[in-house]
Amino acid sequence: MQTKYVFVTGGVTSSLGKGIVCASLGRLLENRGLRVTIQKFDPYINVDPGTMNPYEHGEVYVTDDGAETDLDLGHYERFLGVATSQANNVTTGRVYLEVIKKERSGAYLGKTVQVVPHIIDEIKHWMQKLGETGDYDVVITEIGGTVGDIEGQPYLEAIRQFRYEMGSRNTLNIHLTLLPYLEAAGEVKSKPSQHSVKTLLSFGLQPDVLVCRTDRPLTDDVRRKLALFCNVDQRAVIASQDAESIYEVPLLMKEQGLDTIAVERLHMEEDFKDKVLDAPDMDGWVRFLRQLKEPEGKVRIALVGKYVEHQDAYKSISESFILAGAANGVQVELVQILSDGLTTDNIEDRLATVNGVLVAPGFGDRGVEGKIEAVRFARENDIPFFGICLGMQCAVIEYARNVCDWLSANSTEFDPDTECPVIDLMEEQKKISEKGGTMRLGAYTCKLSEGSRASEIYGGKSKVKERHRHRYELNNVLRYKLAEHGMHFTGVNPKRDLVEIVELPEHRWFVGVQFHPEYRSTVGNPHPLFASFVRSCVAYAEEKDNILTPKGPRREKKIHLASAKM
Ligand code: GLN
């Protein structure tokens, strides 16, 4: 069966929410019975975003097969509920690396290696790769950046050639633009979108669908004008109006028939006989949205990290809280706390109003002492505590220092000469000097101890698989001594005997995990650890009588979810 390809480009400005539009269309087509995947092409030279600072790029999202990818893949997985892989995120750096490797091995048989055809062919190869597996009916490809960017040109040429080769029956071009409202003129302006489509045309690409980001409803007048000057059907001019939550976007797209346009233009009813449903069944999604928008209360949870100023640095964690909050009937208000400034003197003040503490993942020593302080405060005051990756490592250091009385306990990441390295570099990591893609990455098995909180949270399972991204580990030499002092190790990697989960059973909810559960929350299926942690924070808040119930109408205007970037 011929796979259908949808290409999504962006114009006018970045940050219009291309990833969310792709994920929304993907979910609608999935709910019409199709097998869908989404891939992202990023026009930068880094081979992957793994080496980039979170301030630069936001969160790095990790797939099961250990790829370090763009955070949009997190949206794809959360919206579709389908795992992505290495092949779902390709960068210019990766494309060039592949071409140069082939050139060095003589694969081009003495030819001059050039952008056209070699780089373009390599891009086309990646565009087709997922489709060729036979696992998908539709492959949606998002092109990062904005049309007109110098670095994006090869991708536009690749789409042009791809469409020429596959035919318009099998390919669909969607262009996302911005419709700004000019206060002075009192009008929505369509000219930037027209220019953007002109730029696209100069690369030989005619969009089939225009999705217009706007802060107000699209008038018929503007719709007509855009259709006429951009040469698209009027009904294929779709408004992507600002929404309180990104999870509303699939329904906004459905109302305007985006999925139907895609099904028709790609002739899917004929080509995938008896498979395509007449309309996407979004009942489950609507139920989820109702839970999300009508919380029965609000619970404040501290997110202690060093990248809190960057709204995308902990994207999967904040989305996991949104999803876990909805499942628990509450709105989670994340209180972002910069770990750098936390000290014994101010911790009580800073954490006074929260009902739970999450210590975030991270790299390098900045802010670590503040994170350790946050762990101590949560542990000593019996406040629900969740440590992820570095957060778990901080929990171990804190326990070693303050309970076992090993005052010099540390990670060798922060003090290479510490006498008490409770967290240490894995043996094989000691030989590695290259930074890109060399951590312990991707899904590994974790065996759960019977009767532990972890095993209960995972519904009694004895083994689970979770995704990793770290170099350091709990030191097995000191592990047994820590256990003697009361720390429980309830999740272990069976092959390598590496600690995956630590717990304090006397505490109401104290769990640290070496892996990243946040990468596995999807709509309707928040990760069980997040769901359980939020439940415990709600119980704590109720006990302390500080659960914040929304007053008056249950739906608040300025719902916290609005901060989720489109
Ligand atoms: N810096 C720590 C390590 O490399 C933790 C990494 C993380 O939190 N993702 O092991």
Side-chain angles (χ1 to χ4, degrees), residues 6 22 57 81 118-119 168 190 194 221 230 232 244 251 254 259 360 384 415 444 481 529 557:
V6 178
C22 290
H57 185 270
H118 303 101
I119 294 294
S168 58
S190 69
Q194 294 181 39
D221 217 30
C230 301
V232 294
E244 276 180 359
L251 301 180
K254 176 180 177 256
D259 54 302
D415 179 3
Y444 287 93
K481 284 199 184 158
L529 282 164
K557 183 80 195 88

Side-chain angles (χ1 to χ4, degrees), residues 46-310:
N46 303 62
V47 174
D48 60 45
T51 52
M52 281 191 239
N53 186 316
Y55 287 118
E56 198 57 39
H57 185 270
E59 167 189 279
V60 172
Y61 186 79
V62 179
T63 59
D64 274 338
D65 64 352
E68 296 178 283
T69 71
D70 187 78
L71 56 80
D72 269 329
L73 272 78
H75 291 309
Y76 306 161
E77 288 204 16
R78 283 187 288 274
F79 275 56
L80 262 60
V82 175
T84 54
S85 67
Q86 182 83 62
N88 291 72
N89 193 193
V90 178
T91 68
T92 294
R94 175 101 161 270
V95 169
Y96 272 78
L97 189 66
E98 295 296 328
V99 169
I100 291 169
K101 273 200 289 199
K102 281 189 211 158
E103 184 273 332
R104 293 287 83 183
S105 69
Y108 294 112
L109 306 173
K111 288 256 183 266
T112 309
V113 181
Q114 303 185 96
V115 173
V116 183
H118 303 101
I119 294 294
I120 307 294
D121 284 351
E122 187 68 27
I123 295 174
K124 284 196 291 178
H125 160 77
W126 285 99
M127 283 178 169
Q128 217 165 348
K129 201 173 159 80
L130 286 165
E132 281 171 350
T133 59
D135 294 339
Y136 306 104
D137 303 317
V138 184
V139 177
I140 300 173
T141 302
E142 175 187 352
I143 308 294
T146 309
V147 291
D149 295 348
I150 293 174
E151 53 268 55
Q153 290 184 15
Y155 295 93
L156 301 181
E157 171 61 10
I159 298 174
R160 190 194 64 75
Q161 290 187 16
F162 197 94
R163 189 160 210 201
Y164 174 79
E165 285 158 6
M166 306 291 266
S168 58
R169 188 184 182 90
N170 299 316
T171 54
L172 183 80
N173 288 347
I174 298 180
H175 189 55
L176 186 63
T177 69
L178 175 71
L179 289 181
Y181 175 78
L182 278 199
E183 201 72 59
E187 276 183 347
V188 163
K189 291 294 183 188
S190 69
K191 195 68 89 185
S193 299
Q194 294 181 39
H195 280 299
S196 181
V197 170
K198 290 237 156 63
T199 309
L200 204 53
L201 283 168
S202 73
F203 294 104
L205 291 180
Q206 165 67 53
D208 302 297
V209 179
L210 273 188
V211 177
C212 307
R213 183 70 187 267
T214 156
D215 66 351
R216 62 203 61 222
L218 204 56
T219 61
D220 285 346
D221 217 30
V222 176
R223 203 183 287 268
R224 244 192 320 267
K225 201 163 163 187
L226 279 165
L228 177 65
F229 293 117
C230 301
N231 217 11
V232 294
D233 281 353
Q234 250 185 63
R235 65 181 193 118
V237 179
I238 308 258
S240 175
Q241 201 179 327
D242 294 355
E244 276 180 359
S245 157
I246 54 172
Y247 298 103
E248 289 174 44
V249 180
L251 301 180
L252 294 177
M253 297 293 121
K254 176 180 177 256
E255 272 169 28
Q256 299 172 80
L258 180 60
D259 54 302
T260 303
I261 294 169
V263 166
E264 281 175 20
R265 297 296 291 255
L266 292 165
H267 301 269
M268 292 203 266
E269 266 163 359
E270 296 140 59
D271 291 359
F272 302 143
K273 280 217 170 51
D274 303 328
K275 185 166 188 177
V276 188
L277 305 175
D278 288 342
D281 174 4
M282 298 300 281
D283 288 357
W285 194 279
V286 170
R287 263 197 308 280
F288 154 74
L289 212 55
R290 197 168 303 134
Q291 284 177 330
L292 184 72
K293 298 192 79 176
E294 294 177 4
E296 276 155 27
K298 187 157 75 174
V299 67
R300 285 164 66 85
I301 297 179
L303 169 64
V304 181
K306 67 172 178 175
Y307 309 115
V308 288
E309 305 100 316
H310 190 297

Side-chain angles (χ1 to χ4, degrees), residues 360-364 388-391 393 411 413-414 423 425 439 468-473 514 516 519:
F363 295 84
I388 297 185
C389 209
L390 179 60
Q393 297 175 355
S411 162
E413 180 177 5
F414 316 125
I423 307 293
L425 209 53
M439 282 187 252
H468 293 250
R469 183 173 187 248
H470 61 111
R471 286 184 209 284
Y472 293 80
E473 295 285 348
Q514 186 59 79
H516 291 265
Y519 297 141

